[in-house]
Amino acid sequence: MLENDITEKTHRLTQLLEKHMGTRGKTFEAAVRRAGRRLPRGLRAKAQVLISAQHMAVHPKLMRRVDPEEVAAAYDALEAHLIQMDLTEQRKTRALNIAAGLALNLLLVGGVVLAVMRWRGLV
């Protein structure tokens, strides 16, 4: 595995993070940091494998310590997850969840107000 291979893979994943999650970063490490908890825990660990491989790829002696199979597996898992994500669907779901929460809170407050008014004999 060459330094160029790791650089190409992390560049591709950085583009996918920007396209499918809306996270921008100059480097792959910055993009993963911005994605934060929106990436599942296991995929964050796989991203760390790629980040450490990218750091070790700069030094020729450290490059021999990089496991190419582990890097390839981490890349494949991250790529598969990011390709299936839909940013617009996530935004719609988030907006609907907020609207549903507000509607529920309004119903609860209205119910409490009616209960207090009935208890006080105003209704």
Side-chain angles (χ1 to χ4, degrees), residues 40-58:
R41 184 182 308 165
L43 290 178
R44 282 195 309 262
K46 291 180 190 280
Q48 288 301 320
V49 167
L50 285 167
I51 290 168
S52 65
Q54 190 177 24
H55 288 300
M56 286 195 280
V58 176

Side-chain angles (χ1 to χ4, degrees), residues 3-54:
E3 178 185 358
N4 294 337
D5 294 339
I6 294 173
T7 304
E8 288 174 13
K9 287 181 179 185
T10 55
H11 182 67
R12 166 89 170 124
L13 289 175
T14 304
Q15 290 174 342
L16 287 173
L17 279 168
E18 184 175 345
K19 180 180 178 186
H20 293 283
M21 292 187 80
T23 59
R24 294 182 182 164
K26 291 183 180 179
T27 63
F28 176 64
E29 186 175 7
V32 169
R33 194 176 323 114
R34 285 183 154 242
R37 291 186 178 202
R38 289 185 289 164
L39 276 176
R41 184 182 308 165
L43 290 178
R44 282 195 309 262
K46 291 180 190 280
Q48 288 301 320
V49 167
L50 285 167
I51 290 168
S52 65
Q54 190 177 24

Side-chain angles (χ1 to χ4, degrees), residues 95-110:
L96 287 174
N97 285 340
I98 290 172
L102 286 172
L104 179 65
N105 286 336
L106 286 174
L107 284 173
L108 289 174
V109 168

Side-chain angles (χ1 to χ4, degrees), residues 37-109:
R37 291 186 178 202
R38 289 185 289 164
L39 276 176
R41 184 182 308 165
L43 290 178
R44 282 195 309 262
K46 291 180 190 280
Q48 288 301 320
V49 167
L50 285 167
I51 290 168
S52 65
Q54 190 177 24
H55 288 300
M56 286 195 280
V58 176
H59 196 279
K61 286 188 178 182
L62 289 177
M63 183 60 191
R64 288 186 264 164
R65 297 193 63 195
V66 175
D67 183 14
E69 294 174 2
E70 185 179 18
V71 169
Y75 172 76
D76 292 339
L78 278 165
E79 183 182 37
H81 179 75
L82 290 173
I83 286 175
Q84 74 180 4
M85 291 183 73
D86 186 15
L87 185 60
T88 57
E89 187 65 32
Q90 287 178 353
R91 287 180 179 162
K92 280 193 258 184
T93 302
R94 190 178 310 133
L96 287 174
N97 285 340
I98 290 172
L102 286 172
L104 179 65
N105 286 336
L106 286 174
L107 284 173
L108 289 174
V109 168

